[in-house]
Amino acid sequence: MPVPTGDRLSALRALMSSDEYKIDAFLIPSEDAHQSEYIADCDKRRYWISGFTGSAGYAIVSSKEAALFTDGRYFLQASEQLDNNWTLMKQGLPNVPTWQEYLVKNLPNESRIGVDPTLITAADAHLLSESLKTVNSTLVPVHANPVDKVWSDRPGAPQDVVITHPVKFSGKSHVDKLNDVRKYIQSKDAYGVVVSALDEIAWLFNLRGSDVECNPVFYSYAIITESEAILYVEAAKITDGVRQHLGDSVTLKPYNAIFDDLKQFGEKLTATEKKLITNPRTSLAIEVAAGQTNIKEERSYITDAKGIKNEAELKGMRDCHMRDAAALVHYFAWLEKQLKAGVALDEVDGADRLEKFRAEQGDYVGLSFDTISSTGANGAIIHYKPEKGACKTIDIKQIYLCDSGGQYKDGTTDVTRTYHFDQPTDYEKRCFTRVLQGHIAVDAAVFPQGTTGYLLDPFARHALWKDGLDFRHGTGHGVGSFLNVHEGPHGIGVRIAYNDTPLAAGMTVTDEPGYYEDGKFGIRIENTLIVRQAQTPHNFGDRGYLGFEHVTLVPIGLNLIDLDLLSPDEKKWVNDYHAEILQKIGPLVENDPDAVAWLKRETTPI
């Protein structure tokens, strides 16, 4: 049932029209002050004001309207969660404006548009301001977020302590990483770098936290110069062990002290004529504190460095995916046995049992995202989250889609499997097989260095296109090393940004084509891949060639495959993949007879 939002909107509008604000509309993004995809409860302003729980969306509240903008992954979910106070704007469909266009076309001229400057990037703010000028409207930074004022039971900020991430897992000390950043600063003839992305800070200092559910990060900022490394984080989060780990090379200051420090840096920068480097995801508040003329916006060096895993990180990814696969084999064998015995289990029961199997694995820390345990029509909700009391009982007669992942000390996993524990229809098998063919095409791809994920995306869709089918999400995203499950800068998909970053050896990326029919079923097959050098008979242009190594080792649902659609090479891929799974995962589940029997059956050659 939708959350009633009428009172919340009324309270917000009253504050917007007050003498304190005097704004005609207020922008409420999904992100926090660090442009994080996943955020702490205290930062879920868009969720609280709208009732929409999806991770991607943008809310605009004006004196007369409330609009929620989201993409195709969330159309169905948003339509079910928004009450009648809201208009759903389905981004990407014909005649649907972007939220920026909406502000220009749908609001009166000379409107004052309020925004929290910590929650909008400097780049977006400047572009929006220019667009608003065409209708004599103004972007107004407001430093006391009005949503926070009307949100009476808003949770407090997280206060969990920070932990160290050992070099045996990270592969490189934070001192060496800081030295690399300083070399980059020198190459740019800059004064320093401002770091605001939480996963960048965690990676750079070899630290991890738990401020954001499922993401091992902590609220912080950092400034790195040739002579200093300052980490801005609340003192209560820092243990003696962390202080010892950081040593004399890092200065610790309170979280919000960065804004006063940036003002002081601004004075130094004027004297040296050097600039502080930020990246396009840095907030307007950071830029304002330092002074726009003192800032130079560049592509993030740290994001690029973090995206290419070293040998220790790659070993960790391989190792944790094997343990994760064992947990999944235990789970799917258990689930099928329960369902065939007539035991009633709902989607949350399934997700909870899977989490217990994962928790039994070595170096397990927690989930990498909320498990998508979905039966039948719920599988068509791409980012579905089952909730007790509102979810469905798992139906043995329908397709079951499970998208899940774990955080381990040595890596992060993300895997989706689609099974049918009874007899699928011919149409379901055809759809599944078309998805499988796209999955195989990406996995088996060999391509010259310099190729981007944008160019590889059609590999995942070609088989679906033959049947006039497609899916409304990307084909793959980067995966962190005991960090965020969604990681850039690279990916496989139709986002034009994916054409900016060529795939490179050492990157991790998912391979997850799908197909979804609203009200019926969802299908997705997802593995995590490592980009690696490919051995080819020739080397045209001396460019070098790349391919993929899959580290996810969980069987494909055999009874969903339409063998008549597969080519000999595709059948060989399935058989080789299943033989690898049986060899590597079989020994890890040998103490569970049900898992052993299920694994052997599901890896039978076709």
Side-chain angles (χ1 to χ4, degrees):
M1 291 290 291
V3 174
T5 63
D7 291 345
R8 298 175 183 184
L9 289 168
S10 295
L12 178 60
R13 286 174 173 136
L15 201 56
M16 288 163 51
S17 63
S18 68
D19 290 341
E20 181 180 359
Y21 289 94
K22 294 182 179 178
I23 53 178
D24 302 297
F26 188 62
L27 310 183
I28 310 167
S30 300
E31 294 80 11
D32 59 16
H34 306 271
Q35 292 297 300
S36 307
E37 178 185 9
Y38 297 102
I39 56 179
D41 289 343
C42 61
D43 290 318
K44 294 180 178 178
R45 299 175 179 91
R46 191 227 62 221
Y47 165 30
W48 181 82
I49 197 67
S50 69
F52 169 59
T53 61
S55 64
Y58 209 102
I60 298 175
V61 178
S62 66
S63 57
K64 295 181 179 179
E65 295 181 330
L68 188 285
F69 296 76
T70 193
D71 61 53
R73 295 171 297 169
Y74 296 102
F75 289 169
L76 184 56
Q77 180 180 342
S79 67
E80 293 176 348
Q81 291 183 331
L82 296 176
D83 70 5
N84 57 12
N85 291 295
W86 289 84
T87 300
L88 173 59
M89 309 297 285
K90 297 181 178 181
Q91 290 177 304
L93 294 188
N95 302 316
V96 177
T98 64
W99 64 266
Q100 297 93 333
E101 292 168 342
Y102 175 91
L103 293 172
V104 173
K105 297 176 180 178
N106 290 58
L107 297 186
N109 292 1
E110 301 182 358
S111 290
R112 287 170 50 85
I113 315 297
V115 65
D116 182 335
T118 67
L119 304 182
I120 189 171
T121 67
D124 283 348
H126 296 317
L127 286 173
L128 182 57
S129 292
E130 289 302 312
S131 295
L132 292 175
K133 284 180 182 178
T134 62
V135 290
N136 296 317
S137 292
T138 309
L139 187 65
V140 181
V142 296
H143 298 283
N145 194 305
V147 174
D148 295 350
K149 291 194 173 187
V150 299
W151 187 358
S152 58
D153 58 348
R154 181 179 175 231
Q159 296 298 327
D160 294 344
V161 297
V162 174
I163 62 172
T164 59
H165 186 53
V167 171
K168 69 176 182 178
F169 295 136
S170 70
K172 197 170 194 176
S173 73
H174 72 281
V175 173
D176 287 342
K177 291 178 181 180
L178 288 170
N179 287 337
D180 289 343
V181 173
R182 290 188 171 112
K183 291 175 184 176
Y184 165 74
I185 292 169
Q186 292 169 359
S187 73
K188 293 292 183 179
D189 193 27
Y191 187 84
V193 174
V194 181
V195 191
S196 60
L198 300 183
D199 61 333
E200 291 187 12
I201 295 169
W203 177 86
L204 180 62
F205 292 98
N206 283 348
L207 297 172
R208 298 295 187 266
S210 55
D211 284 355
V212 179
E213 187 177 5
C214 300
N215 294 262
V217 296
F218 54 98
Y219 280 106
S220 53
Y221 292 100
I223 296 177
I224 315 300
T225 69
E226 291 189 50
S227 59
E228 281 187 294
I230 309 171
L231 177 60
Y232 298 88
V233 58
E234 295 303 338
K237 293 177 177 290
I238 302 300
T239 65
D240 290 341
V242 169
R243 291 180 188 276
Q244 185 177 0
H245 161 79
L246 293 173
D248 297 333
S249 61
V250 179
T251 300
L252 293 168
K253 290 190 176 185
Y255 175 73
N256 281 317
I258 186 172
F259 296 102
D260 287 336
D261 278 7
L262 283 172
K263 293 175 183 176
Q264 295 176 13
F265 273 113
E267 298 170 3
K268 297 179 184 178
L269 295 172
T270 302
T272 63
E273 296 186 353
K274 290 189 174 184
K275 295 182 183 293
L276 280 170
I277 295 174
T278 61
N279 68 65
R281 303 285 287 172
T282 303
S283 74
L284 176 62
I286 291 287
E287 182 187 88
V288 169
Q292 186 177 351
T293 58
N294 295 320
I295 292 292
K296 181 181 182 182
E297 191 175 278
E298 295 274 358
R299 179 189 177 101
S300 172
Y301 166 81
I302 297 173
T303 289
D304 285 338
K306 175 170 57 64
I308 298 178
K309 308 294 183 281
N310 59 45
E311 287 304 316
E313 291 171 317
L314 293 176
K315 179 181 184 301
M317 292 295 280
R318 295 183 182 102
D319 291 348
C320 75
H321 275 82
M322 287 182 62
R323 301 194 304 276
D324 199 63
L328 284 158
V329 169
H330 283 302
Y331 171 63
F332 289 125
W334 171 86
L335 179 60
E336 182 180 278
K337 183 177 181 179
Q338 298 300 307
L339 294 177
K340 289 191 171 180
V343 178
L345 298 167
D346 66 28
E347 295 161 325
V348 173
D349 294 331
D352 290 347
R353 190 67 186 89
L354 174 54
E355 186 174 358
K356 288 180 181 178
F357 280 123
R358 277 199 166 99
E360 295 170 0
Q361 302 301 315
D363 287 331
Y364 176 77
V365 178
L367 299 179
S368 58
F369 57 97
D370 291 323
T371 298
I372 301 171
S373 169
S374 55
T375 186
N378 285 343
I381 304 173
I382 296 170
H383 279 196
Y384 173 70
K385 179 183 176 181
E387 295 181 358
K388 205 68 174 174
C391 65
K392 291 183 176 181
T393 298
I394 299 174
D395 188 344
I396 196 170
K397 300 289 186 183
Q398 294 185 319
I399 284 177
Y400 177 71
L401 184 155
C402 183
D403 186 348
S404 66
Q407 293 286 6
Y408 299 86
K409 292 179 182 178
D410 52 351
T412 302
T413 70
D414 185 1
V415 51
T416 308
R417 285 297 180 267
T418 304
Y419 293 115
H420 199 302
F421 299 112
D422 197 64
Q423 286 295 118
T425 67
D426 289 344
Y427 178 64
E428 289 170 337
K429 291 174 67 173
R430 186 175 185 91
C431 293
F432 180 90
T433 306
R434 288 307 194 195
V435 172
L436 174 59
Q437 289 174 301
H439 179 92
I440 293 171
V442 172
D443 182 280
V446 176
F447 47 93
Q449 293 196 71
T451 301
T452 65
Y454 181 85
L455 298 177
L456 289 185
D457 184 74
F459 285 46
R461 302 178 193 267
H462 181 245
L464 285 162
W465 288 345
K466 286 182 178 179
D467 281 9
L469 306 177
D470 206 343
F471 55 95
R472 286 195 183 104
H473 59 73
T475 294
H477 55 82
V479 180
S481 177
F482 186 28
L483 265 177
N484 295 358
V485 72
H486 292 163
E487 180 177 87
H490 59 284
I492 303 174
V494 295
R495 293 183 192 175
I496 195 64
Y498 286 154
N499 211 28
D500 294 337
T501 306
L503 296 175
M507 287 180 171
T508 56
V509 67
T510 60
D511 172 12
E512 51 180 306
Y515 177 66
Y516 313 89
E517 287 211 1
D518 290 352
K520 294 182 180 179
F521 61 81
I523 295 166
R524 185 161 62 253
I525 304 170
E526 177 184 19
N527 283 357
T528 298
L529 312 177
I530 292 172
V531 184
R532 65 179 186 181
Q533 298 289 338
Q535 300 302 316
T536 55
H538 307 285
N539 185 18
F540 180 80
D542 293 324
R543 294 178 66 180
Y545 286 76
L546 300 172
F548 294 115
E549 169 195 348
H550 47 245
V551 292
T552 304
L553 296 168
V554 182
I556 306 294
L558 289 180
N559 71 335
L560 277 163
I561 299 176
D562 183 342
L563 296 179
D564 292 336
L565 290 177
L566 294 185
S567 69
D569 283 347
E570 290 166 338
K571 290 178 182 177
K572 182 179 185 301
W573 183 95
V574 172
N575 287 335
D576 289 348
Y577 180 60
H578 281 163
E580 180 185 4
I581 292 171
L582 186 60
Q583 176 195 354
K584 292 182 176 179
I585 308 306
L588 303 183
V589 299
E590 60 186 5
N591 62 338
D592 180 351
D594 292 334
V596 171
W598 184 88
L599 180 61
K600 287 181 177 179
R601 189 195 74 210
E602 289 297 319
T603 55
T604 302
I606 56 176

